[in-house]
Amino acid sequence: MSSQQALIKLADQCVLCGICIPTCPTYQQQRSEAESPRGRISLVKALAEGKLSADPVLQQHLASCSGCLTCQQVCPAKVQYQKILLGGKQLLSSNITD
Ligand code: SF4
Ligand code: SF4
């Protein structure tokens, strides 16, 4: 399985319930889906699927995550947010340097 396929599989565990969203400090500040855990998971999935390019806006949304992992603690679907975030950042840096 490629790293992209592995990331898509991890992201697909998110059932989009939104329970994590109010707990996220960057969402509380920005009130933007792209600054929420669910939003970041969707962005990483789209990047892995080749539906989004590795642009500075996407990079900023991943970089602004504090890494507090509150989202992972409250997630009823046990989504492995940290793995998704790290995988997304790795994919982003490899795309940017390609
Ligand atoms: S709580 Fe978990 S399943 Fe629900 S939206 Fe957040 S990451 Fe996805
Ligand atoms: S790890 Fe990132 S996405 Fe998750 S709650 Fe913390 S700031 Fe939000």
Side-chain angles (χ1 to χ4, degrees):
M1 190 188 293
S2 71
S3 56
Q4 281 95 333
Q5 285 172 322
L7 263 181
I8 293 165
K9 198 173 170 195
L10 285 172
D12 277 341
Q13 289 171 349
C14 173
V15 297
L16 309 175
C17 67
I19 286 173
C20 57
I21 292 178
T23 72
C24 173
T26 57
Y27 178 79
Q28 286 168 10
Q29 277 184 346
Q30 304 290 331
R31 298 281 158 191
S32 159
E33 176 78 18
E35 289 288 323
S36 78
R38 183 176 67 183
R40 292 189 177 101
I41 291 166
S42 297
L43 290 173
V44 170
K45 185 181 175 191
L47 178 68
E49 290 173 333
K51 292 177 180 169
L52 272 183
S53 57
D55 65 28
V57 175
L58 175 53
Q59 193 176 18
Q60 189 273 320
H61 287 313
L62 298 192
S64 62
C65 171
S66 73
C68 68
L69 300 184
T70 311
C71 53
Q72 191 167 291
Q73 287 159 18
V74 302
C75 175
K78 308 250 183 275
V79 170
Q80 298 175 72
Y81 176 84
Q82 188 175 32
K83 277 190 184 176
I84 297 169
L85 180 71
L86 291 176
K89 284 183 173 178
Q90 281 167 1
L91 195 54
L92 207 50
S93 61
S94 67
N95 280 7
I96 285 168
T97 52
D98 276 351

